[in-house]
């Protein structure tokens, strides 16, 4: 299973864009990149996922490099409520499809 | 409705007690998961049910016993737990896997378990 590497923590000023990087250099061609976040004491919340192309939804944008070895989650205008741990996950395929493993994640601190 | 409901939200049990955590979803999902999360750590996968059959057991001790009575319900039976089993237990569900699909996994808010 492809592993992910994320910085332990990041700071972001309120109202500015938050750019959270993730390395997944061993990703396979048909494995998806997922992003979740977990606000303190709550269940993980789905943000976005993608395969090759960049994706955008009402929460965030996902930029995947052409070689797919890394990606960046962008929160365009961070608010204090975006303070959370953000997890980048590569989802396996085939028999391992349901082995959905969390890595260490990035603690994003949004500051006033 | 993208809701996974877990009960109880909080549970305190003694080491000799038998208790159960419950999880319910009505999204027609055929894969359901149990995760364990200790403080300041990421969630750890415990069990996965696919079409009501146990498909993944991540070498979880037998004092944790999962059960999937139907496609909407998932239980985690607890017996003879230790204080170190105190954690947040998360349930999740997702549609049936498709090899090239990007199915989303939906999580409940978790059950906080304290073993005394």
């Amino acid at each position: 299973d492809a592993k992910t590497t994320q910085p332990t923590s990041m700071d972001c000023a309120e109202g500015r864009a938050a750019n959270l990087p993730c390395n997944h250099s061993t990703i396979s061609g048909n494995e998806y990149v997922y992003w979740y976040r977990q606000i303190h004491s709550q269940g993980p919340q789905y943000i976005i996922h993608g395969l090759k192309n960049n994706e955008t939804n009402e929460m965030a944008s996902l930029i995947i490099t052409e070689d797919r070895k890394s990606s960046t989650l962008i929160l365009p205008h961070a608010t204090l409520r975006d303070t959370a741990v953000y997890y980048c996950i590569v989802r396996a395929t085939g028999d391992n499809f349901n082995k959905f493993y969390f890595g260490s994640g990035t603690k994003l601190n949004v500051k006033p | 409705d993208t809701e996974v409901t877990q009960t109880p939200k909080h549970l305190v049990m003694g080491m000799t007690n038998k208790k159960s955590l419950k999880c319910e979803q009505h999204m027609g999902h055929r894969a359901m998961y149990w995760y364990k999360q200790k403080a300041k750590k990421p969630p750890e996968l415990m069990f996965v049910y696919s079409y009501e059959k146990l498909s993944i057991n991540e070498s979880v001790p037998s004092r944790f016993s999962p059960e999937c009575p139907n496609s909407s319900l998932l239980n985690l039976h607890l017996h003879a737990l230790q204080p170190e089993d105190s954690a947040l237990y998360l349930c999740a569900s997702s549609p049936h896997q498709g090899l090239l699909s990007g199915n989303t996994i939906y999580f409940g808010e978790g059950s906080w378990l304290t073993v005394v």
Side-chain angles (χ1 to χ4, degrees):
Chain A
D1 299 336
K3 297 291 187 288
T4 62
T5 304
Q6 299 177 254
T8 302
S9 65
M10 294 181 64
D11 291 337
C12 178
E14 188 178 20
R16 304 296 294 270
N19 297 281
L20 292 93
C22 179
N23 287 322
H24 32 78
S25 59
T26 61
I27 192 170
S28 298
N30 55 359
E31 291 180 328
Y32 281 73
V33 178
Y34 281 73
W35 283 83
Y36 279 75
R37 73 180 182 184
Q38 189 172 26
I39 296 169
H40 182 61
S41 300
Q42 297 182 20
Q45 177 189 23
Y46 166 78
I47 302 173
I48 199 167
H49 72 278
L51 182 62
K52 296 179 183 178
N53 300 321
N54 298 337
E55 301 289 343
T56 295
N57 63 21
E58 64 278 4
M59 288 183 68
S61 294
L62 174 60
I63 308 298
I64 303 175
T65 58
E66 193 168 342
D67 63 7
R68 301 210 328 120
K69 292 184 177 182
S70 65
S71 61
T72 300
L73 178 74
I74 301 174
L75 307 179
H77 305 288
T79 70
L80 298 178
R81 289 176 295 179
D82 292 321
T83 292
V85 178
Y86 287 77
Y87 295 101
C88 168
I89 302 164
V90 171
R91 189 165 198 179
T93 58
D95 291 342
N96 292 324
F97 183 76
N98 284 330
K99 289 189 175 183
F100 199 73
Y101 296 123
F102 287 78
S104 300
T106 297
K107 176 67 191 304
L108 176 68
N109 299 299
V110 180
K111 300 187 175 182
Chain B
D1 181 10
T2 56
E3 190 169 297
V4 176
T5 303
Q6 291 188 242
T7 55
K9 293 196 186 311
H10 298 273
L11 177 64
V12 178
M13 61 183 292
M15 290 186 283
T16 59
N17 290 160
K18 287 184 180 181
K19 297 287 186 182
S20 298
L21 304 180
K22 298 184 183 300
C23 174
E24 190 169 2
Q25 57 88 13
H26 295 288
M27 295 177 278
H29 292 169
R30 302 312 294 272
M32 296 187 76
Y33 310 72
W34 280 115
Y35 285 81
K36 173 182 178 180
Q37 187 174 24
K38 301 284 283 184
K40 300 189 178 183
K41 297 290 187 182
E44 297 176 6
L45 183 63
M46 299 174 71
F47 301 105
V48 181
Y49 273 81
S50 180
Y51 286 90
E52 295 91 71
K53 293 190 188 311
L54 184 64
S55 61
I56 296 172
N57 177 343
E58 292 284 311
S59 302
V60 178
S62 60
R63 58 185 184 270
F64 295 92
S65 175
E67 178 197 20
C68 189
N70 61 55
S71 60
S72 299
L73 295 174
L74 184 67
N75 299 320
L76 186 63
H77 302 300
L78 314 169
H79 174 54
L81 295 192
Q82 302 297 311
E84 57 264 31
D85 296 321
S86 298
L88 177 66
Y89 289 84
L90 294 160
C91 175
S93 72
S94 72
H96 172 59
Q97 70 168 328
L99 288 180
L100 297 180
S101 68
N103 290 329
T104 300
I105 296 181
Y106 297 91
F107 285 83
E109 291 301 312
S111 292
W112 288 95
L113 173 67
T114 303
V115 182
V116 297

